[in-house]
Amino acid sequence: MGLQFRSLRILVLLICFLWRPRVGSPLSNSETKPAKALDTTLQEYAYRAFFHPRTGIPFDGLVPPYLTGIEISAMRLRSGSLFHRGVQTFKEFRVPTGIREEPYVERLVLVYQNLGNWSTTYYPLPGYTYLAPILGLLAYNGSDLSSTNLPELELWASNDPITIKFGQIRSKPASSHPKCVWFDRHGQVNFTNLEPDNQCLTYEQGHFSIVIESPPAPAPPEIAAPPEESVVTDGKENMPKVCTIVGIAGGGTILMVLMSLVIIWAWRYKKRKRIRELERAANAGEALRMTRVGSMRVPYAMATRTTPDLEIDFAS
Ligand SMILES: *[C@@H]1O[C@H](CO)[C@@H](O)[C@H](O)[C@H]1NC(C)=O
Ligand SMILES: *[C@@H]1O[C@H](CO)[C@@H](O)[C@H](O)[C@H]1NC(C)=O
Ligand SMILES: *[C@@H]1O[C@H](CO)[C@@H](O)[C@H](O)[C@H]1NC(C)=O
């Protein structure tokens, strides 16, 4: 009986263990993916702003209606000019001399993003509160202004850092210490000191904002944490919920089927064990006797059984 209960417990644990990753894995990816997809979309729409492209002039673009609230702008530059002269102002950004890119391109386009009220949607940061919108600066190959799906170039400041001047930020509690936050191209988060006049410094491109640590939430963590489901765009918000329901229903069904199988198996095991016990009891009366053959003891049975065949070299 104890053995069967233990098997059942192990089975249930095994099911839970196997079940969890399937529910968890789509969510763990969703942190960076929507933001990456947004970059691709905004690159395409920013490039459309160039009707009569002139180098060094910012062109404000229009975002698709479903992204209302986001501002974009694009500036086309010759790589050499960017390196030698920098860009005095491009929205909140000041780009110094000495900027390099990899791979080298003759012309590049800097795409500016202001995510406005979409900042927390695309860049959720549990435990922190944004005091400013997310601002992005990304560099792309500027040779062909009709290209879409372009990979970002690697861009870095080899002398002075790039400055981001946020201007007005949301008022903060007196005791809090605002920090600059930087999301790099791979979605890595890093915090740096906030400079005077609400400025942040960076040696690389990416997405930037100013944050304070959120006061400890009184609610339980599963409610206090920003909902990961809301990261998904384009009306797919309900997908994870549906998955959970389907998962629970499916899991329940499988669990019931498995439990039935275990019960059947336990019943048959018990039956087989009983048959074996009966067999053993029946055989007990027919104990084997030992006899000597040469120097060895070998069993021999009663006359009712066939006598053991002794091989020649066995007997010698
Ligand atoms: C941001 O604001 C715009 C209107 O200005 C609205 O259409 C959009 O739904 C808002 N986005 C979010 C994520 O709240
Ligand atoms: C940049 O784009 C042009 C035109 O599409 C292409 O010929 C060139 O190879 C690209 N450069 C890099 C480094 O991808
Ligand atoms: C974050 O910034 C610090 C200081 O500049 C640096 O040492 C660290 O490597 C950075 N981390 C990442 C993930 O970039």
Side-chain angles (χ1 to χ4, degrees):
M1 215 48 195
L3 178 72
Q4 285 152 33
F5 268 121
R6 219 178 307 146
S7 313
L8 186 68
R9 246 189 9 230
I10 289 168
L11 215 100
V12 169
L13 281 176
L14 202 72
I15 290 162
C16 295
F17 181 74
L18 291 174
W19 199 255
R20 218 179 308 159
R22 224 171 298 171
V23 175
S25 54
L27 289 179
S28 53
N29 266 345
S30 68
E31 273 176 12
T32 50
K33 259 176 132 179
K36 258 323 204 204
L38 181 70
D39 286 346
T40 307
T41 305
L42 295 181
Q43 178 265 313
E44 185 183 335
Y45 279 81
Y47 269 44
R48 290 186 194 175
F50 294 116
F51 279 122
H52 304 288
R54 288 172 53 200
T55 49
I57 307 284
F59 287 87
D60 290 351
L62 286 174
V63 292
Y66 67 88
L67 291 175
T68 303
I70 295 180
E71 286 174 37
I72 52 171
S73 190
M75 185 186 281
R76 197 185 194 202
L77 295 156
R78 283 185 172 279
S79 186
S81 144
L82 177 64
F83 180 83
H84 291 292
R85 275 182 258 155
V87 179
Q88 251 320 299
T89 53
F90 182 24
K91 305 287 181 182
E92 288 89 347
F93 290 86
R94 195 169 70 235
V95 184
T97 59
I99 297 291
R100 294 180 183 279
E101 81 276 357
E102 176 73 42
Y104 173 81
V105 288
E106 201 177 322
R107 292 163 178 279
L108 54 77
V109 169
L110 295 178
V111 169
Y112 162 89
Q113 311 173 351
N114 181 335
L115 297 195
N117 61 345
W118 294 85
S119 300
T120 49
T121 308
Y122 284 99
Y123 292 88
L125 201 57
Y128 293 89
T129 304
Y130 285 110
L131 298 182
I134 289 270
L135 302 181
L137 186 74
L138 300 171
Y140 298 95
N141 184 351
S143 299
D144 178 4
L145 294 178
S146 63
S147 7
T148 57
N149 250 322
L150 282 176
E152 290 141 30
L153 304 172
E154 202 86 52
L155 186 90
W156 71 96
S158 61
N159 300 335
D160 299 328
I162 298 167
T163 311
I164 310 135
K165 191 167 184 173
F166 282 89
Q168 283 294 100
I169 61 171
R170 273 166 58 189
S171 60
K172 54 186 188 280
S175 60
S176 63
H177 298 286
K179 280 181 278 190
C180 293
V181 63
W182 163 47
F183 297 85
D184 76 4
R185 293 196 311 132
H186 312 290
Q188 279 272 3
V189 186
N190 208 348
F191 297 93
T192 54
N193 290 332
L194 181 66
E195 305 294 326
D197 292 332
N198 294 330
Q199 294 188 99
C200 294
L201 304 179
T202 178
Y203 285 90
E204 284 180 47
Q205 64 187 332
H207 292 85
F208 309 89
S209 190
I210 299 172
V211 292
I212 48 167
E213 278 184 51
S214 303
E222 56 263 46
I223 294 166
E228 281 180 294
E229 285 100 322
S230 67
V231 172
V232 184
T233 51
D234 293 357
K236 285 179 196 151
E237 288 95 332
N238 288 331
M239 271 309 281
K241 220 174 280 173
V242 170
C243 288
T244 309
I245 291 166
V246 167
I248 288 168
T253 309
I254 289 180
L255 201 70
M256 256 164 70
V257 168
L258 282 170
M259 266 168 77
S260 319
L261 285 177
V262 167
I263 288 166
I264 291 169
W265 172 79
W267 179 73
R268 284 171 90 179
Y269 173 81
K270 220 170 140 185
K271 202 169 133 188
R272 220 179 310 134
K273 201 170 145 193
R274 201 164 151 66
I275 289 170
R276 227 178 296 140
E277 263 163 24
L278 288 173
E279 276 175 355
R280 210 178 304 145
N283 287 338
E286 201 196 341
L288 293 173
R289 319 240 162 136
M290 303 302 281
T291 187
R292 288 195 86 83
V293 177
S295 62
M296 301 188 73
R297 276 164 68 82
V298 292
Y300 90 98
M302 308 274 277
T304 48
R305 281 207 183 169
T306 50
T307 44
D309 281 337
L310 300 178
E311 287 176 32
I312 291 155
D313 47 26
F314 182 68
S316 63

